[in-house]
Every structure is written in C-alpha cells, then in structure tokens.
C-alpha cells in the first residue's frame, strides 16, 4: 500500500508531469514563471488547491453523481465545486491567516478554473483511484507542477539574459525552451516502474 | 423522459445553491472589514514595499496614514512628489514636498584604480568577503564588488562594473535597501539635486591611501581651502561635504588632485519621468 502510494506520487511528479507531459496548466506555466519567487508561490498554491479539490470532488463524485448515474455531469459539477471552494479558501485565509493570504492570495483567483486542477480531479476518477490514492496523486501532481515551474523559471532567467534573433524574442523562444524542458522529462519514462521492481 | 432532464438539472442547481450559500455565509461571518480610506491610500503607493518610509511596507504606511493624522504624507521616497500629492489630496491635507533621494556609492576604486591583496575563493557575497581581513581589496574601506547591493535592489538599478557598484540614477527610487545591505557602509542616500560627491571612503593616511588606490582621497585639504561656501571639512583623512551649505559649484572637483570629488547632477529630472510612467 505504502509502496503503491510512493509510486503514484513519484509517477505523477516526473513521468506524468501535468505541465510537461500532459500539457495542462500551460497558462500559469508561461505566465508566472518569469521569476523563481512567484513561480514557487504559484506552485505551492496549486498543490494546495489540488489537494483540496480532490478531497472535495472525490466524495461528490462517488456519493452523489455515481449514485444517481449522473457521471456525465462530472466536468460541470467539478468546475462549480472547485471554483467555489477556492473562493471559500480565499475568504478563510484572508480572515484567519492574513500573512499566508498575502503570499498566496494573488494566485488563488488565478487557479479557480485552472485546467491542471480540474484535470487532476477528473483523472483521479478515471484512473479508478481510491480516496487515499487520489490524494497521493494530487499531491504528486502539485509537486510536479511546482517542480516544472521552478525549473522553467531558472531556464527562463537564462533565456532572458541571452540574445536570440529578433524574430524569436519574447514568447517564441520561451515556447521553444519549454518544449526542450518537456523533452527532457520524457527521459523519465519507465524509470519509476523499474525503481521498485 | 422528464426525469432524465429534471434530476440532473436539479442536481447541478442544488450543488450551485449549496456552494453559493456557503460562500454567502462565509462572506458574511468571515469578511475582513477593510478601511476604505486605507485601501485608497494603499492604491496610490508604489507597492515596492521597500520600507524607506520607516513603516513595515506600503500596507503599513497606508494603515498609519489612515489611522494616525500626524503621520507625514511625504515619507514615500520612491513615489516622490506625485504620491505625496495624491495622499495629501485624499486626506485633505496640505501638500508637503518630498525630498527625493538617490543612492550614491562613495567609492571609485574599480579594477583600474586599485588592486586585490589576496586571492579570495569562497562564498560570493560582500558579507562573506568582508569577514576575510576586511575584504580582498587593497583598500579596507572600498567597494567589495560582490553585488550585495545589486541583489537587494528592487529596481535593478545597481550593476557591478569592473569590481565597483554603479547606481543607475534613472532607475534608483531612493528606497535605501542597498545602503543597509552594504557591509562597508559606503552607499549613502543623498538628496537628488545637483551637488558634489566625494567618491571615496578611505580614512587611511594620505600616503597609505594613495598606495592602495589611485583614486583615494589623500586628505590634502585643497577642496577645503577652495570651497567658496565653506562646506567641506577634512576629518579622519577624508573630505566631507556639508550638503546644507554646498551649492554644487564644482570648484572642489576642479582643484582635487586625485579627482575623487565629482559632480552629480540628477536634479530630479528622472523623477518627474518616473511619475509620468506611474
């Protein structure tokens, strides 16, 4: 069981990285990765929201939607629940932990309808994970997102300092470097399965 | 047939209503009362959170302004006159002029003027280098050139060129973070007007100072004798300018034999530009 959880976490961090292999959550990946500090903040906020979203959507799916055979409503209900959950978290943070709200607060509205968060919630269902496995998977995905953000922020600071041809400047060179970073993550295919074999 | 439409609709509506109710209740019982005035004041501050005003950041300054009517409106140096004006407009108080400041490095010992006395390999910060025999440079008072100041600068206004920190006066917002970060204490915040700067901090005796750095103040006292305003005094082997008296005539720069007194002419020009941008 414990080994299984570790495998799930490691797999979702490096092999099935949401940003670099599944191409979800690209907008914050490109938007907030200019500096390492904000990239870290965004990554931590996403991890936090992914865990919360999974904890909330898992029971809703199995105890409400599956019971009434409304599985096809999954996407719209998940969006609804995640968006209001994030808003609620924001209100609670603002009231009780203002310092945390100050550092995470600006990222929370950005992730209310983030595709990576929704993707984690619905992939956990389609992979048939039980609750604890879903939580492990969303933790892993969040950490994977954080890793991708921080790595790319580092790459990007180098790219900013470089002097590419004029037609590549700005977004084009960023996308090219993102694809190279994504390519490196393909090197992890098959590593985790054999790690515990 | 009706059921197939009704149940999902009710289900989604129900979930939506529950979510809405929870949010409404949360907003009702857990909302933080924000002072409108404070919010408005906070919006006109630059948001660099540099602490130059003496409060814990822009939020702290806005709070102090809103709550304490005796807080001065001209404390925000990066925001300069424009912000001071906005604040005094909001609070309905008299406009007070802000004394704009710029960071000035009181050293000109770059690699052409001075040399190193030891070969340092280690943590690459001024703080660390300073612990080794007060730095690896010949001059014990000079710039260490590891860029501690550049790292704390919120505006990227400082770059280290040839082992000497240089301030870009067009970018400097006068927050004073670099002055606090410098272990040699050779960065001063000076009023942003035309004036003379002694770009040396060496307090060694003339001959020793000269040996260590070609640009060092040798405390010859020529500037002191030639200053028409009597603004310069040589104390501890270093010329010091009293900016209350200095008229910025430039006489001292002309007579200085080592050329370490320089004219700095910013006169707030860049400041107006940055206000327009903001």
């Amino acid at each position: 069981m414990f080994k299984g959880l570790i495998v799930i976490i490691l797999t979702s961090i490096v092999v099935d990285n949401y940003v670099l292999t599944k191409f979800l959550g690209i907008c914050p990946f490109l938007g907030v990765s200019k500096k390492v500090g904000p990239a870290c903040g965004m990554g931590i906020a996403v991890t936090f929201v992914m865990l919360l979203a999974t904890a909330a959507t898992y029971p809703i799916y199995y105890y409400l939607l599956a019971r009434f055979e409304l599985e096809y409503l999954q996407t719209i209900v998940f969006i609804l629940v995640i968006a209001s959950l994030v808003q609620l978290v924001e209100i609670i943070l603002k009231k009780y932990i203002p310092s945390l709200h100050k550092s995470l607060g600006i990222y929370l509205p950005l992730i209310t309808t983030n595709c990576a968060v929704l993707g984690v919630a619905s992939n956990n269902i389609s992979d048939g994970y039980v609750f604890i496995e879903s939580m492990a998977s969303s933790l892993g995905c969040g950490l994977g997102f954080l890793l991708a953000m921080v790595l790319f922020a580092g790459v990007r600071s180098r790219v900013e300092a470089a002097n590419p041809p004029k037609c590549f400047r700005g977004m084009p060179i960023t996308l090219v470097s993102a694809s190279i970073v994504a390519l490196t993550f393909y090197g992890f295919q098959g590593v985790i399965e054999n790690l515990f074999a | 047939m009706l059921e197939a439409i009704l149940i999902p609709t009710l289900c989604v509506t129900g979930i939506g209503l529950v979510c809405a109710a929870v949010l409404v209740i949360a907003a009702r019982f857990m909302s933080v009362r924000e002072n409108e005035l404070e919010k408005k004041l906070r919006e006109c501050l630059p948001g660099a959170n540099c602490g130059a005003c003496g409060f814990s950041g822009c939020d702290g300054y806005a709070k102090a302004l809103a709550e304490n009517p005796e807080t001065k409106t001209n404390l925000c140096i990066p925001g300069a006159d424009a912000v001071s004006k906005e604040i005094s407009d909001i609070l309905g108080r008299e406009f007070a002029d802000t004394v704009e400041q710029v960071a000035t490095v009181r050293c000109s010992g770059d690699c052409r003027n001075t040399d190193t006395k030891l070969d340092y390999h280690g943590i690459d910060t001024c703080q660390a280098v300073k612990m080794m025999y007060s730095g690896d440079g010949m001059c014990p008072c000079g710039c260490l050139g590891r860029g501690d100041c550049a790292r704390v600068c919120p505006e990227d206004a400082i770059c280290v060129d040839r082992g000497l920190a240089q301030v870009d006066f067009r970018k400097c917002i006068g927050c004073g973070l670099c002055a606090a970060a410098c272990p040699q204490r050779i960065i001063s915040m000076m009023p942003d007007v035309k004036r003379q700067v002694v770009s040396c901090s060496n307090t060694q005796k003339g001959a020793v100072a000269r040996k260590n750095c070609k640009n060092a103040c040798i405390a010859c006292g020529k500037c002191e004798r030639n200053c028409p305003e009597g603004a310069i005094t040589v104390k501890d082997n270093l010329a010091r300018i009293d900016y209350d008296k200095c008229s910025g005539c430039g006489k001292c720069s002309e007579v200085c034999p080592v050329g370490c007194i320089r004219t700095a002419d910013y006169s707030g020009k860049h400041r107006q530009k940055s206000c327009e941008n903001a």
Side-chain angles (χ1 to χ4, degrees), chain A residues 18-68:
Chain A
Y18 263 68
V19 181
L20 296 174
T21 44
K22 292 192 175 166
F23 304 114
L24 289 172
I26 295 292
C27 25
F29 179 64
L30 294 178
V32 203
S33 61
K34 276 193 182 134
K35 279 183 180 167
V36 178
C40 267
M42 186 74 188
I44 292 166
V46 166
T47 313
F48 178 62
V49 172
M50 276 180 178
L51 281 169
L52 271 179
T54 310
T57 51
Y58 186 90
I60 285 181
Y61 183 83
Y62 280 105
Y63 296 110
L64 194 74
L65 299 183
R67 179 175 285 183
F68 294 105

Side-chain angles (χ1 to χ4, degrees), chain A residues 60 64-65 68 70 72-73 76-77 80-81 84 87-88 91-92 94-96 102, chain B residues 4 7-9 11-12 15-16 19-20 22-23 26-27 29-32 34 59:
Chain A
I60 285 181
L64 194 74
L65 299 183
F68 294 105
L70 298 172
Y72 59 89
L73 286 179
I76 189 163
V77 168
L80 195 64
V81 170
S84 19
Q87 288 301 316
L88 183 67
I91 294 173
I92 292 173
K94 206 171 181 182
K95 172 83 178 172
Y96 296 108
K102 235 172 228 172
Chain B
I7 292 178
T9 318
C11 197
V12 174
I15 292 174
C19 289
V22 169
L23 281 186
F29 290 103
M30 288 191 271
S31 65
V32 183
E34 275 180 350
D59 289 337

Side-chain angles (χ1 to χ4, degrees), chain B residues 162-228:
Chain B
R162 296 193 178 106
L164 175 67
Q166 312 264 12
V167 181
D168 184 340
F169 301 115
R170 284 161 306 176
K171 288 188 188 165
C172 178
I173 56 171
C175 62
L177 289 176
C178 49
C182 179
Q184 296 284 57
R185 297 280 175 267
I186 54 167
I187 303 184
S188 334
M189 305 309 297
M190 293 188 179
D192 186 9
V193 288
K194 181 172 177 171
R195 55 186 162 62
Q196 305 307 116
V197 180
V198 182
S199 47
C200 179
S201 307
N202 191 315
T203 50
Q204 290 171 311
K205 282 209 171 81
V208 184
R210 175 78 179 160
K211 233 177 237 165
N212 287 341
C213 174
K214 272 188 259 168
N215 209 78
C217 172
I218 51 172
C220 60
K222 248 184 159 174
C223 46
E224 189 176 7
R225 287 191 295 277
N226 282 291
C227 181

